[in-house]
């Protein structure tokens, strides 16, 4: 059987379309390629972005900003020493980019100027830490990508 050039073009198109369809179906059905958004309500978070910028600007006006360090027991978050700990309210959110099941949020509850995030809640690797807190009706925000 002899194949002319018209038949060869049709076979090439069918082969190419089959090749593309294989990858489309494979990417749509395979859980290995499941990519989620960073947050579920992405567009609502985007509208609050200017508020976050203002909070970060407020943080830069402090004498000392919030700091963190890795210890044997976990992550030790230190709040400014010149502030009264009874008036510090807020939350600490740790986001794991590689697995959203590991994300967690902790309310700020201080007995001294330090807050400890226990080691048993953290795995080695990259985390994004966000500390959203208020003091004297002023809102502050600390964001940083850390490697634990």
């Amino acid at each position: 059987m002899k194949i002319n050039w018209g038949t060869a073009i049709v076979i090439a198109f069918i082969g190419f379309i089959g090749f593309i369809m294989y990858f489309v179906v494979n990417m749509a059905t395979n859980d290995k390629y499941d990519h989620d958004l960073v947050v579920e309500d992405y567009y609502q978070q985007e509208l609050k972005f200017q508020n976050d910028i203002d909070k970060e600007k407020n943080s830069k006006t402090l004498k000392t900003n919030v700091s963190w360090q890795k210890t044997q027991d976990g992550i030790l978050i230190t709040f400014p020493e010149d502030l009264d700990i009874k008036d510090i309210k807020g939350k600490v959110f740790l986001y794991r980019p590689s697995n959203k099941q590991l994300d967690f949020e902790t309310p700020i509850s201080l007995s001294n100027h330090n807050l400890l995030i226990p080691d048993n809640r953290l795995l080695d690797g990259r985390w994004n830490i966000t500390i959203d807190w208020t003091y004297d009706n002023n809102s502050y925000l600390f964001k940083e990508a850390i490697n634990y």
Side-chain angles (χ1 to χ4, degrees), residues 43-56:
Y43 294 107
Q44 284 76 19
Q45 293 291 329
E46 187 66 29
L47 295 174
K48 298 176 187 172
F49 191 64
Q50 183 60 45
N51 191 21
D52 289 350
I53 292 172
D54 294 339
K55 289 179 184 180
E56 286 185 74

Side-chain angles (χ1 to χ4, degrees), residues 87-110:
D87 296 331
I88 297 174
K89 306 279 185 256
K91 61 186 175 184
V92 177
F93 179 67
L94 278 107
Y95 166 73
R96 179 75 175 205
S98 62
N99 186 350
K100 73 177 180 179
Q101 278 77 28
L102 297 175
D103 299 352
F104 65 94
E105 187 174 291
T106 304
I108 296 174
S109 171
L110 301 174

Side-chain angles (χ1 to χ4, degrees), residues 44-83:
Q44 284 76 19
Q45 293 291 329
E46 187 66 29
L47 295 174
K48 298 176 187 172
F49 191 64
Q50 183 60 45
N51 191 21
D52 289 350
I53 292 172
D54 294 339
K55 289 179 184 180
E56 286 185 74
K57 202 179 294 183
N58 286 345
S59 295
K60 292 179 181 168
T61 63
L62 295 169
K63 286 183 191 176
T64 57
N65 201 355
V66 173
S67 61
W68 70 276
Q69 65 182 21
K70 181 179 177 180
T71 64
Q72 289 278 34
D73 300 325
I75 293 178
L76 186 67
I77 300 169
T78 305
F79 288 88
E81 295 284 333
D82 57 335
L83 303 180

